[in-house]
Amino acid sequence: GENVEQHPSTLSVQEGDSAVIKCTYSDSASNYFPWYKQELGKGPQLIIDIRSNVGEKKDQRIAVTLNKTAKHFSLHITETQPEDSAVYFCAAIRGSTLGRLYFGRGTQLTVWP
Amino acid sequence: GAGVSQSPSNKVTEKGKDVELRCDPISGHTALYWYRQRLGQGLEFLIYFQGNSAPDKSGLPSDRFSAERTGESVSTLTIQRTQQEDSAVYLCASTDRGNEQFFGPGTRLTVL
């Protein structure tokens, strides 16, 4: 099956700085890569996603890049704000659009004011 | 509209007891998933329902775990003879024909 590795496990940045979280996957058949944000006591919420036919996608301060050859994808948050503090999870799906998600272990992002 | 709801939000039980967790998916969503999240860990897939197809049970950790779903409605996850290692947050998600899985707030299970 798929194996998703995520780094770092914790990340602390100053408000206004950028944050980068990286993930690798093992199954070349994976074709959809979402990123979820989980705030304390809540379920994960999708913040951005990318499909394997696209190399980069941006939504305001958040961007995701995908390198299919190297099988890695990254989340970039610019101009970080304290409300960005949360746990971020990368995930991958192979094949079916209704398949199970394979998650990374998460990154605890802390943004200091 | 309403999102995915789960009940109870918290459950404390004694080792050896059975527990039942409930998930109400978003109306019209054909697929429903259960995940387990241990403290400080990622999400671990448990089981997946898609319409009337046989569920994918490949993530269930033991035969003490089972789940049911009637049609495209409510699902229940049952854990029999609970053990302390079952303590975790159990998350339910649903989706329609798109990829985005919408998660509920989870049920925090504590086995004493």
Side-chain angles (χ1 to χ4, degrees):
Chain A
E2 175 65 277
N3 181 43
V4 178
E5 300 280 345
Q6 181 172 348
H7 300 279
S9 57
T10 60
L11 180 60
S12 292
V13 299
Q14 201 73 33
E15 182 178 2
D17 288 350
S18 295
V20 180
I21 303 170
K22 298 182 178 182
C23 289
T24 61
Y25 61 98
S26 60
D27 190 341
S28 57
S30 289
N31 56 8
Y32 174 70
F33 307 92
W35 285 88
Y36 283 83
K37 176 182 180 182
Q38 186 176 29
E39 296 175 333
L40 198 62
K42 297 183 178 180
Q45 183 174 13
L46 180 74
I47 55 170
I48 196 168
D49 55 14
I50 191 167
R51 298 187 186 278
S52 59
N53 59 347
V54 175
E56 184 173 359
K57 183 177 179 180
K58 189 173 181 180
D59 182 4
Q60 299 182 339
R61 296 187 297 109
I62 295 173
V64 57
T65 59
L66 171 66
N67 183 328
K68 285 195 312 183
T69 303
K71 288 191 270 190
H72 66 71
F73 55 113
S74 300
L75 177 70
H76 304 253
I77 306 174
T78 58
E79 301 171 26
T80 53
Q81 300 167 3
E83 51 264 39
D84 293 330
S85 297
V87 179
Y88 292 80
F89 292 97
C90 63
I93 282 182
R94 59 186 293 271
S96 166
T97 58
L98 293 177
R100 56 168 289 188
L101 284 168
Y102 293 81
F103 282 89
R105 293 170 65 91
T107 297
Q108 172 69 61
L109 173 65
T110 303
V111 181
W112 299 101
Chain B
V4 177
S5 61
Q6 292 186 245
S7 60
S9 56
N10 281 284
K11 176 71 177 177
V12 180
T13 190
E14 294 179 348
K15 178 181 174 181
K17 300 283 189 181
D18 296 351
V19 296
E20 199 170 272
L21 313 179
R22 177 186 169 109
C23 172
D24 284 86
I26 294 173
S27 177
H29 279 192
T30 58
L32 185 148
Y33 310 78
W34 284 98
Y35 294 89
R36 177 169 71 178
Q37 186 176 29
R38 290 198 168 110
L39 187 63
Q41 303 294 312
L43 282 75
E44 176 189 5
F45 167 77
L46 297 177
I47 188 169
Y48 153 51
F49 296 89
Q50 167 53 38
N52 294 319
S53 302
D56 176 356
K57 304 180 181 180
S58 61
L60 294 178
S62 77
D63 59 7
R64 296 187 296 106
F65 288 73
S66 62
E68 293 184 349
R69 187 185 188 198
T70 304
E72 295 183 356
S73 61
V74 172
S75 175
T76 55
L77 176 69
T78 301
I79 308 173
Q80 295 178 311
R81 306 181 302 281
T82 52
Q83 304 294 313
Q84 289 183 331
E85 62 261 28
D86 299 335
S87 296
V89 175
Y90 289 82
L91 289 158
C92 174
S94 70
T95 188
D96 55 11
R97 295 193 174 277
N99 279 125
E100 181 177 358
Q101 294 188 14
F102 294 84
F103 283 84
T107 293
R108 181 175 297 279
L109 175 65
T110 303
V111 182
L112 301 177

